Amino acid sequence: MSQPVLINDLVVRFATVNGTGSASANNMFAKAVYRMGIPVTPKNIFPSNIQGLPTWYEVRINEKGYLGRRDGIDIMVAVNAQSLKKDIESVRSGGYLIYDSTKTLGEDFIREDLHYIGIPMMSLCMQHYNDPRQHLLMKNMIYVGALCALLGMEKEVFEQLVQEQFAKKEKLIPGNIQALHLGMNYAESNFECPLPYRLERRNLNQNKILTDGNNACGLGAVFAGATVGSWYPITPSTSLMNAFEKWCTKYRIDASTGRKNFAMIQAEDELAAMGMVLGASWNGARAFTSTSGPGLSLMSEFLGLSYFAEIPAVLFDVQRSGPSTGMPTRTQQSDVLSAAYASHGDTKHILLFPSTPNECFDMTLTAFDLAEFFQTAVIVLTDLDLGMNDHLTDAFTLRDNYQYNRGKVMTAKDLDDAKVWGRYLDIDGDGIPYRTIPGTHPSKGSFFTRGSSHDPMAAYTEDGDVYADGMRRLEKKWETIRSRVPGPEIVRFDPSHNEAIIYFGTSSYAAVEAMDILQNQGIALNALRIKSFPFTEEIIEFIHAHDTIYLVEQNRDAQMRSLLMIENAIPPSKIKKVLQFNGMPITAQFISDEIQKIMQQAPIHHS
Amino acid sequence: MSQPVLINDLVVRFATVNGTGSASANNMFAKAVYRMGIPVTPKNIFPSNIQGLPTWYEVRINEKGYLGRRDGIDIMVAVNAQSLKKDIESVRSGGYLIYDSTKTLGEDFIREDLHYIGIPMMSLCMQHYNDPRQHLLMKNMIYVGALCALLGMEKEVFEQLVQEQFAKKEKLIPGNIQALHLGMNYAESNFECPLPYRLERRNLNQNKILTDGNNACGLGAVFAGATVGSWYPITPSTSLMNAFEKWCTKYRIDASTGRKNFAMIQAEDELAAMGMVLGASWNGARAFTSTSGPGLSLMSEFLGLSYFAEIPAVLFDVQRSGPSTGMPTRTQQSDVLSAAYASHGDTKHILLFPSTPNECFDMTLTAFDLAEFFQTAVIVLTDLDLGMNDHLTDAFTLRDNYQYNRGKVMTAKDLDDAKVWGRYLDIDGDGIPYRTIPGTHPSKGSFFTRGSSHDPMAAYTEDGDVYADGMRRLEKKWETIRSRVPGPEIVRFDPSHNEAIIYFGTSSYAAVEAMDILQNQGIALNALRIKSFPFTEEIIEFIHAHDTIYLVEQNRDAQMRSLLMIENAIPPSKIKKVLQFNGMPITAQFISDEIQKIMQQAPIHHS
Amino acid sequence: MTYARPTFRNPDLPLNKIGRARKEYEGAISTLCAGCGHDSISGAIIQACYEMAIEPHRLAKLSGIGCSSKTPTYFLGQSHGFNSVHGRMPSVATGAAMANRDLIYLGVSGDGDTASIGMGQFVHAIRRNLNILYIVMNNGCYGLTKGQDSATADAGSINKSGAENQFQGIDLCGLGLELGATFVARSFSGDKQQLIPLIKAGLTHPGFALIDVVSPCVTFNNNAGSTKSYDYTREHMEATAAIDLVPYREEILHQQDKGTIKYIPLHDESIIAVNKLAADWDPLDKSSAMRKLAQARNEHEILTGLIYVDTQSKDLHTLLNTSDTPLNQLSQTVLMPSAEILGKINKLYQ
Amino acid sequence: MTYARPTFRNPDLPLNKIGRARKEYEGAISTLCAGCGHDSISGAIIQACYEMAIEPHRLAKLSGIGCSSKTPTYFLGQSHGFNSVHGRMPSVATGAAMANRDLIYLGVSGDGDTASIGMGQFVHAIRRNLNILYIVMNNGCYGLTKGQDSATADAGSINKSGAENQFQGIDLCGLGLELGATFVARSFSGDKQQLIPLIKAGLTHPGFALIDVVSPCVTFNNNAGSTKSYDYTREHMEATAAIDLVPYREEILHQQDKGTIKYIPLHDESIIAVNKLAADWDPLDKSSAMRKLAQARNEHEILTGLIYVDTQSKDLHTLLNTSDTPLNQLSQTVLMPSAEILGKINKLYQ
Ligand SMILES: Cc1ncc(C[n+]2csc(CCOP(=O)(O)OP(=O)(O)O)c2C)c(N)n1
Ligand SMILES: Cc1ncc(C[n+]2csc(CCOP(=O)(O)OP(=O)(O)O)c2C)c(N)n1
Ligand code: SF4
Ligand code: SF4
Ligand SMILES: [Mg+2]
Ligand SMILES: [Mg+2]
């Protein structure tokens, strides 16, 4: 088979066993691509257990900057015997299989349409390392080295990465460098390097970083001035709190006393985690928690309290595949509806939908500002793909002169100066009352916080009209919120196009690529990315400006579409569903195929 | 003032103090009206405490059968000094105030436009009863007696009711009869009886009973064969479980052994209550729980498990005013959306909306049949008004030859005969798999139940396609459900009308009356009452057959409207919101006023 | 609650150390049933805070849901109240304490609120030695939902409708001891003399102070056969000791010599004076406390008074090693790392 | 799981009383880490059920979420499994038991599942004396979410990342005793000889049987400094006694005379034979059990073996007074009152 040469446009998949240390080797490969200035995004596809099951690491390399997942594997590094059969099947015709040739592959494993690259990884390890504990780890470095040679990558980049990785355990450096070279040399001596699939240096990653959303949110919470974090561990949100703790430990310990300028508690469950957030926010600290689906369900009673008693709260929901325990290590965007209306009664919550780690950082700051300004819960909806996978993203920046917006808080002086103050009085006509922080003033500003019905002065009431007035004020506040949340990103707006694509969160990568695929087929779409709920006027106008909207979601029930209809009277027939919900990050091909399918269907009867 | 004579069309309100025994006297009045063959519905308006606060009992009497609440009080029995001032203000001009004239009323309490009927209740008590503990109770009977005379009611009816009420404490009968007569005699000797507002015997209550929805549901659960009930007390749902226990104690105790053919546990909270229901249902018993808003929020994680692992569950949500603790003793229909989609991920639950106690009974049977047939949660949404107030309703009946529908359950023989059985295999193409009850067969039919993703054979899987197939099957099951839940009541369908009113639950009484009010003003509407979610085809067709729908709900956010849009692509602009959410049962006047307001508004811009 | 409240003061009312009258520690008028034990506990709280001269605005009173949980409305009207959701007050209080270590936290709960729906949070607040005085108004039933047995109802106790409780009751003091609560006491709403000093000591204790107060529900659980009625409690009460809280410096010196009194110095300047009544018991010795409690239980006595106190324990703030400055008072300057640091962080991901 | 599973049996395998081989008590292949304590406990469960000749389809195995809660997939493949939600297995098991009193219930949980999120349900299942053998696979950490300290981690225990746990650990056996659990034992995954008879006795016990099994997490909490590691546990284990479960009629007679053995007859025909090792302890005497446990705790010993058993307690079904026939077997004829009765009921509301 003669191969077309493919430069800087590849999917490389590593099939390994979890708990064997392959993660850091695989990661090094992705980072090397990044360092060569080529856009890259890796994804971990891991099982819900700790050790011994198949796990995959998929690296998409694309110099056009298409960084969503793409089906069709070009190069498979298959080092897991358990999954080998299936792994081989998953390679696209004409692709490469890199495997450990210490043992010969059986007949069963041979596909005519693939290139086989056998590297005797284990036997190289045995030859060169005495300590059997090193064998597994060095094997990983060997295939990384081989890849370097096969793809024509820069070996200095890898050597540098090894130096950095083991900066604190220097004596491990030579062994690892050696393993790299064993792989490189073997590949170079036995195969024609580089392959037709190869990587060439570019300069496309300037001012970009490679990090994950959970890290970005955790870091964002530090910069946002959050001091109280409580949480209950759950995949895929755990690493968000870990990041917060890590950064706090670095930047929030008082140098003179060694004491912490933050407090974290691992709560006994998610109900307690949210309770702590409300207690702390009530007391004037910026407080937050993070969870995933099951935790969101458990927090729903407390979220209702936040809404009705008007207590700020920031919650990160790193979504995974539901319902119930579902697929805990797979992604989805399926908590949209339950997050928006969490809790019984007439409740609504602000949602934010970041789509990159950079935006995770930035929106975390926004989340705290909104929560305090509007005195209500803000739920940042990310997902497993965004939270746990590294993404190529703009470097973190702070807005100029950024100041925390602590909202309408009465100081002792304000209390002295005010003629009348009532916790739930709408003085400004925007539905947002003034609050006090307990302990502010020796004789003024105390009030009773409760989830039962209250009048503007915070007194308990069972008067239906007073209650209804309060509910209407909350509606008015909601309107104010609608004018203040982050507006959408209008990605493309050409008035001559009648149709548009709308998406949010991690579908963005694939959506942008899908637009180009469709464009190539003569289908031009406008595009908008939703960044928050409630929906600002621009979103509504954008929708009204088109005949058909293709709404891309990673759930089964088209939950964002539901929100658009409920809140903004968007006619349902106008919004076509493009839904992927199998737990894998959505692909551009899927989106463009679905859109074309819908276009080919007879127009639906509009009643 | 000369009074127009009003016959059998009155609102009588009793203003008393809670915890003083007035409830049973007031109830006797309502029952007497019922016994005189006149349609009547009383409503309790009570505070969220146990003793000492104002409470009201409002009796609507209407021979046309309009039994929703009506604003405007014709006769106020005001025996609570705390609320007297406000109580007097609430009487409609020309109405009557019956008060305790033992002490003279101050100037402040005199309204020119009212008739004052002073009965020296306390002093009559002091004269005739020695035991001071009796004073409070007898005072209540005195005003009941006075009402009997003033309204020209039949005293034998009251005497008979006293006999029945004290059948087990016979020695209390004479004293109570005496009190009745004291009231009657005083009224007759001091006022011209009957007043122009009066009641006359009719024969309109044949085959009707006067009972509350919680009693009906509890009784229904006994007839439905529920054997396991677990619950956590919460107003207004508590009396439902009390009723179940009462009827079980009567009809479910094995006569020979004294042992119970049912098991009830007061759980430690609502999470546990729902957990017990799932455990029991999994094990093949009919099991249920009941709660109100906060409990629904707490059950949401378990409801997701029910949906995804396909375990039957019956839940009664007796709605109260939310959000959060809200107004615990006021009614609302505001859990519609959160019940429909309770839990994170893509979940949906069957909802039933009974509107009378009779339907509560009947739908309870339906709920268990649906839950078992579809192996999923069924939430019966009633409300405080329906659950805790007596309503005039058709007598309970059993459908002919009614048999429990236990759904697709494999017996030991079925298992022996079957070639292959998989817990989540869709054999019949309707999306409904076959289940086994643990312990059925020594070697066949065991399977693993889990909330994590599973394949058709119930094995754990992380394969996205297998997972997605399962989710699609659940969607198919949902379509089957849609064809099998109780259809709507099409109250009126005249093809010449372009507009219609849609309502559900306790809005029905007022809606029917509102239609007549509008009709009198020349506005003819068709009407449909929703009885279940998902919505059957008839509902959709009905909506499509009209230009405008007025959807009546007792919540702020038009939650039923949201469901219609989400699930059935109903254009939002078509459904106008008629929303009352102040915690009081909705009135016909409110509905007709709102509909007229909407009609007068310029037509909304349809985009 | 406009704060245009009348500031007129009757000059004859005795004022406490900070110049406040007892009235200023009261709250709104109670809506509980006449005779409810909870109202007496509110009274004891008012008296204790008045006598301790607590600044009302430095105290946060938190509760769950129930008749008992309503009481914070009826005391300390100038303090900050938070009536949260049923059974979840401990987490809200924990968050509040994390945010501001300088306020005094008073948690009020019921036996339903604590021992049923709130069990998990109660246990974990103890485990973390949260700085709070946690008062359970224990009536063995759910007052607000009309008298169902609660998890503290004793097996064999008869409720108002004549039914006998089948399940074993949870002894909150026993549970507290087992879980390592650092201050454990029991009292009776009808015994203010015992209760007031316990409340004072509890408010002073640095860490989790539990006072389980038997507080009869006159409406639903004060009948014959109930083991949480006024009569039953009075008959079966057995006190460990009479205690008093003495502000240390001022008074300890001239009390030093009273023979039977044991003085327990607290972390601040005050001291608990224990007039030992019970033999074979030392409030500082956990085993003796557990033994004493088990023994009383076996004899169907209700052991009241201070049961155990650990004056050396590390409180939540010590365990978390948080700064002395309350976290809610740290400014953006202290909290937000600089743009330069952000730049450095970016480097890590390049 | 089609039930077309191979029915071929190796004729040489020893069969138990009901003719089943040990293999038939196994489950799917474990996906836990090699060396995980939980796998050993699964093995002990398999062995115990095999030896007791339990009919697999008469046993329901329920769990929450966690590595430990996954184990029901790995034993008794022919039993009915229910992997519920995190921390809420006790309520599911309670419902199941209410519906069918005739199955044997085996609950499996982790320390996170039980002592953190599940604390409330755990406490209340004990209080109701639910008929279940409740095994906690206690590794002092959250295995499945990667090793965070759990609420049973001892204060001072060092975790894998070198951090010292600050909070006091919950002693589930102590808690069980305090709450009135009627069978309390502790064991170690590494000591099958001790564990297997305890499991048998627990499965036989009518009521709540708790076995807290120290079960090291090799991946996250088996390091030096951890008090839940293999090494630490082996070094600090202290057994109350060696016990055995003997089917009564068959074997008791010729064992009667062995001097140091105490026989505890159970409600069915079997008996626990306790070879007393510990002085000053009687498994039938709760005070001695509590004392023994407290003492071991003070001495930093891990007390294992049977700690307490109450053979006279009333189980849930007795407390609920439910019929002997499992409720799930009652037919419509028994359950549904007649139309006539409904007519009579209507009369009450007329
Ligand atoms: C989630 C939730 N479930 C149930 C209720 C209803 N409820 C209110 S108070 C209460 C029990 C109160 O008992 P306890 O705490 O002992 O207080 P008491 O009234 O006896 O003082 C219950 C069950 C509620 N408010 N919230
Ligand atoms: C509601 C909810 N919160 C959090 C989780 C995540 N989670 C899964 S297992 C687990 C802890 C398990 O710890 P433990 O019970 O001790 O089991 P182990 O893995 O140590 O055996 C957690 C927090 C979840 N599944 N559900
Ligand atoms: S019901 Fe009981 S607890 Fe509630 S206020 Fe009345 S007496 Fe007190
Ligand atoms: S992580 Fe720990 S508990 Fe989980 S399987 Fe591995 S060793 Fe066992
Ligand atoms: Mg109580
Ligand atoms: Mg664990």
Side-chain angles (χ1 to χ4, degrees), chain B residues 48-49 51 232 266 268-269, chain C residues 31 34 70 86 117 142 149:
Chain B
S48 175
N49 96 325
Q51 193 200 79
Y232 191 70
Q266 183 185 316
E268 57 273 32
D269 62 16
Chain C
T31 61
K70 285 184 177 189
H86 194 30
I117 191 167
Y142 290 12
D149 291 332

Side-chain angles (χ1 to χ4, degrees), chain A residues 10-16 22-23 26-27 29-30 33 40-46 55-61 67-77 87 90-91 143 147 210 385 389-391 580 584-587:
Chain A
L10 276 183
V11 172
V12 181
R13 198 187 233 212
F14 301 82
T16 57
S22 54
N26 300 346
N27 195 255
F29 171 74
V33 180
V40 59
T41 297
K43 300 206 186 293
N44 246 310
I45 300 149
F46 59 102
T55 185
W56 297 271
Y57 188 77
E58 193 175 289
V59 183
R60 175 140 190 219
I61 301 157
L67 293 173
R69 216 176 71 78
R70 192 199 77 192
D71 276 330
I73 293 146
D74 302 303
I75 299 180
M76 171 69 78
V77 181
D87 290 336
S90 67
V91 182
Y143 67 65
L147 269 176
L210 200 58
D385 180 21
N389 287 322
D390 278 345
H391 295 263
Q580 177 173 315
M584 297 298 278
I586 197 166
T587 64

Side-chain angles (χ1 to χ4, degrees), chain A residues 78-310:
Chain A
V79 292
N80 180 0
Q82 278 176 72
S83 61
L84 186 55
K85 193 75 198 281
K86 281 204 147 182
D87 290 336
I88 293 174
E89 283 163 15
S90 67
V91 182
R92 69 153 77 164
S93 192
Y96 289 82
L97 185 85
I98 300 175
Y99 67 98
D100 183 352
S101 59
T102 307
K103 270 186 170 179
T104 2
L105 277 187
E107 280 283 304
D108 280 14
F109 296 89
I110 304 303
R111 265 177 61 186
E112 291 297 314
D113 60 340
L114 297 189
H115 305 274
Y116 284 75
I117 305 215
I119 313 275
M121 304 174 194
M122 208 24 110
S123 93
L124 286 170
C125 283
M126 313 268 255
Q127 283 161 36
H128 295 88
Y129 301 92
N130 296 325
D131 181 356
R133 276 178 306 168
Q134 293 204 316
H135 290 167
L136 265 184
L137 294 172
M138 292 308 168
K139 184 178 156 184
N140 303 332
M141 290 308 291
I142 288 173
Y143 67 65
V144 169
L147 269 176
C148 171
L150 291 164
L151 298 177
M153 294 173 75
E154 299 168 10
K155 69 174 156 209
E156 304 70 27
V157 169
F158 285 93
E159 286 164 358
Q160 173 65 24
L161 284 168
V162 171
Q163 304 276 357
E164 291 173 20
Q165 182 168 326
F166 299 103
K168 283 186 186 147
K169 308 181 202 160
E170 277 195 12
K171 67 179 175 87
L172 296 178
I173 295 177
N176 277 280
I177 298 270
Q178 184 190 10
L180 264 184
H181 286 271
L182 285 170
M184 286 177 202
N185 296 341
Y186 187 91
E188 274 166 0
S189 344
N190 293 278
F191 302 95
E192 201 175 306
C193 287
L195 305 177
Y197 291 0
R198 65 188 67 150
L199 302 184
E200 285 175 6
R201 179 171 280 280
R202 295 285 183 273
N203 187 17
L204 297 168
N205 294 341
Q206 282 239 294
N207 248 324
K208 304 258 182 197
I209 57 175
L210 200 58
T211 189
D212 64 66
N214 281 352
N215 182 40
C217 290
L219 184 67
V222 177
F223 277 79
T227 51
V228 171
S230 64
W231 64 302
Y232 191 70
I234 187 166
T235 308
S237 84
T238 301
S239 60
L240 193 158
M241 298 308 285
N242 292 346
F244 178 69
E245 184 163 31
K246 182 182 83 181
W247 295 116
C248 276
T249 306
K250 195 134 188 194
Y251 297 113
R252 283 277 194 76
I253 302 218
D254 189 298
S256 57
T257 61
R259 306 269 284 283
K260 296 178 177 171
N261 282 334
F262 68 101
M264 273 184 83
I265 287 188
Q266 183 184 317
E268 58 272 31
D269 61 16
E270 290 85 349
L271 292 91
M274 185 46 85
M276 290 180 203
V277 169
L278 294 184
S281 299
W282 174 75
N283 236 348
R286 289 193 153 189
F288 74 106
T289 183
S290 84
T291 192
S292 190
L296 178 68
S297 285
L298 290 172
M299 289 174 185
S300 95
E301 188 190 22
F302 260 135
L303 284 168
L305 178 65
S306 161
Y307 176 78
F308 195 48
E310 299 178 67

Side-chain angles (χ1 to χ4, degrees), chain C residues 123-124 126-129 175-181 286 319, chain D residues 111 115-116 119 138 140-141 149-157 165-175 186 212 227-228 297:
Chain C
V123 166
H124 286 271
I126 292 178
R127 197 172 90 81
R128 299 192 184 103
N129 206 14
L175 189 65
L177 285 175
E178 170 61 34
L179 292 166
K286 176 128 114 196
L319 295 170
Chain D
D111 44 325
S116 293
M119 179 51 77
N138 190 344
C141 74
D149 290 333
S150 81
T152 66
D154 295 303
S157 184
N165 177 39
Q166 296 298 322
F167 301 104
Q168 22 191 343
I170 293 173
D171 178 340
L172 293 172
C173 291
L175 189 64
R186 178 174 286 137
D212 176 29
T227 59
K228 293 276 192 295
R297 238 162 18 185

Side-chain angles (χ1 to χ4, degrees), chain C residues 267-289:
Chain C
H267 77 302
D268 65 351
E269 311 249 290
S270 58
I271 194 165
I272 305 179
V274 184
N275 200 335
K276 272 185 90 169
L277 296 179
D280 191 25
W281 163 78
D282 174 357
L284 292 171
D285 172 12
K286 176 128 114 196
S287 326
S288 87

